[in-house]
Amino acid sequence: MIYLVPMGNIESDIVQSASLCLWHTFGFEVKRFSPLEIPTHSYDEKRRQYSSIEILRMLHKTMPKEAFRVLALIDKDLFIPVLSFVYGHAQFEGKVGIVSIARLRQEFYGFPEDKELVTNRMLKEVTHETGHLFGLTHCNDTSCPMTLSTNIRALDKKGVSLCESCKLLLKENMVEKFQ
Amino acid sequence: MKKHWEILVVDDDEIACESLAAWLREDGYPTDMAFSGHEAIDKAKKKDYALYFMDLKMPGGLDGIETMMKIRNLYQDASVIIITAHATVDTAITALKEGAQEYIVKPCNPEEISLLVDRIIKVKNLQRQNILLRKKLTRQYRFHDIISKNPKMYDIFQLIRDIASLKSTVLIQGESGTGKELVARAIHYSGDRAKKPFISVSCAALAETLLESELFGYEKGAFTGANSQKKGKFELADGGTIFLDEIGDISPKLQMDLLRVIQEKMFYRVGGSQELKVDVRIIAATNKDLLKAVNTGEFREELFYRLNVINIQIPPLRERREDIPLLVRHFIEQLAHELQKNVNDITENAMRLLIDYNWPGNVRELENTIERALVTCKTNVLSEEDFTFLSTNRDKSERWSVPTNQSLQDVEKVVIEATLRRLDGNMKETATVLGIDRSTLYEKIKKYNIPRLKEDVE
Ligand SMILES: [Zn+2]
Ligand SMILES: [Zn+2]
């Protein structure tokens, strides 16, 4: 079972769409968790961002044992020390991953709100990070959600559903490693 | 596709290290972590990483730049990206001067780092393709275990193919170390007898009587110690090929016996009376001028002509210098693997040195030279410094003609005297050049009564 964990202020219809998308793409039942507090120590005052790895560590410790995979959705901007920001972060073939929707919102770039666009972007990143949890690495197909997008233009270019080769790889991984 | 390029992230900040490693793993690179410069060097010794991310500021006496220098000592073509918090011009200049391929200022844009890694890996892929191409070239110039692109050697390859399935005896001539046995094997394994035994005998290694029983076997009680019957090499080679190396060194009696085997295709075991018939192809080899030995009466003329039905002359390595690069690459690849050394290349200067060297010991000397250099090599590329032992011997070997009428002791005395003179009586250097320790040198000087040039003041 995949646990879907909203953190901070995330609209419930966004969580719902994410839940449906995960179930559809990965074939696991998805359990929606009640919203969690963002750990205060993960906030970096100087950078005014949240450390993704601190949050992943917290989730790893607090999530119930029966949670096979955990994906968190957060409305805050995430970082790792070497990079200026990350859209999301997952332990490769690990248990926990996280997606930030801060930079997926049009408001971040000074435009009016666009609910449909932010949902669409979120679905791509949710699929992307969950793909990492199931052993997928970055894809060369720029229309596949598993391609690495480092800016919003590239993110908007890719689609929501996995390309044929990633689908195949996912299927193989499921059989070999995750049964 | 990129899975075989491994990355090491080095940072004392555990979170920075772990998160960057995770990010690179998502991109498909197997990534390890080290939390100090010392740990990084330990890990690098065990594995040749394609790329290092190195934090500039690390405690424990080794910062990023110092660690990078040590790693570049181990692997000349290691790519290092220095991560720094502040872009000072000084840092950048130092990092680049010391050979970091790039440096990044953290926090850095994900796009920037992604492009940087792609660019470095693209170069690595190209380099790998070049290495693969070179390997393919070696294969192209390979005939059995002989590697050459020299026209004379090509003629020999063709001759080997033509005569492989004949029964005629073959005489292979060439200086020592030119690969006479390899040619003999190539003949055997290219022909009809390939699935039958190939038996090799070095005629110079054994005394006359021993060689006789080695070749023809013996009956029980043929001599003291012959407690049971034993088959000789000719019987073992039945149906196949016998390779008689250093045939120029056999005694007149054995020359007679051999002639009989060739003429009548039969022989007796030592102490035996039963005629034994075998079907064996004889390939003989020598580094001597056999015709001269025939003229002076040391070698039976008839045997010479019986052996010399097909003659193959292998040119010395100095007459086919174009093969040296091919052979050098081949030996590096093969021996580095055997010796488990992580060496895969050689500098241009070192290659030049090997091409210019005279190689009195031919391919075998080249092989030994590469082996010795590999053993002492401290990086993953052989350089001139790894061959210094060769240049100290160089001037000597070029004028050296091998004396063939002196006792070994006389030769030893002359060599010690000459070396001492060249090195102005320096005992330490003389011992090093001669490859013996100083106490042995003292002993020999005393034994041969060699006058010392000056008092040893060490
Ligand atoms: Zn894909
Ligand atoms: Zn990714």
Side-chain angles (χ1 to χ4, degrees), chain A residues 47 51 53-54 57 80-86 89-92 128-129 132 136-138 140 148 150-151, chain B residues 1 3 13-16 18-20 22-23 25-28 83 104-111 113-114:
Chain A
R47 297 188 57 155
S51 163
I53 198 159
E54 292 284 7
R57 282 180 174 183
I80 66 174
V82 177
L83 297 181
S84 49
F85 74 93
V86 289
H89 188 178
Q91 298 172 317
F92 185 69
H128 184 104
E129 297 306 334
H132 285 322
L136 292 182
T137 57
H138 289 153
N140 287 332
L148 169 68
T150 49
N151 59 56
Chain B
M1 190 186 68
K3 288 246 151 68
D13 175 351
E14 200 189 322
I15 285 185
E18 209 174 289
S19 57
L20 181 58
W23 195 81
R25 282 185 201 124
E26 288 173 6
D27 216 14
I83 305 170
I104 54 174
V105 182
K106 74 180 163 185
C108 138
N109 193 308
E111 189 166 2
I113 202 168
S114 166

Side-chain angles (χ1 to χ4, degrees), chain B residues 10-11 20 54 70 127 146 187-188 238 244 256 260 265 312 355 361 379 406-407 422 441 445 452:
Chain B
V10 190
D11 199 326
L20 181 58
M54 192 90 59
K70 290 207 185 299
Q127 284 168 348
I146 312 164
I187 297 172
H188 175 80
D238 195 16
L244 304 172
M256 281 286 293
R260 197 177 57 233
K265 318 227 168 344
I312 296 178
I355 292 172
T379 68
Q406 278 180 45
S407 75
R422 181 169 75 88
L441 181 61
I445 286 174
R452 290 227 229 137

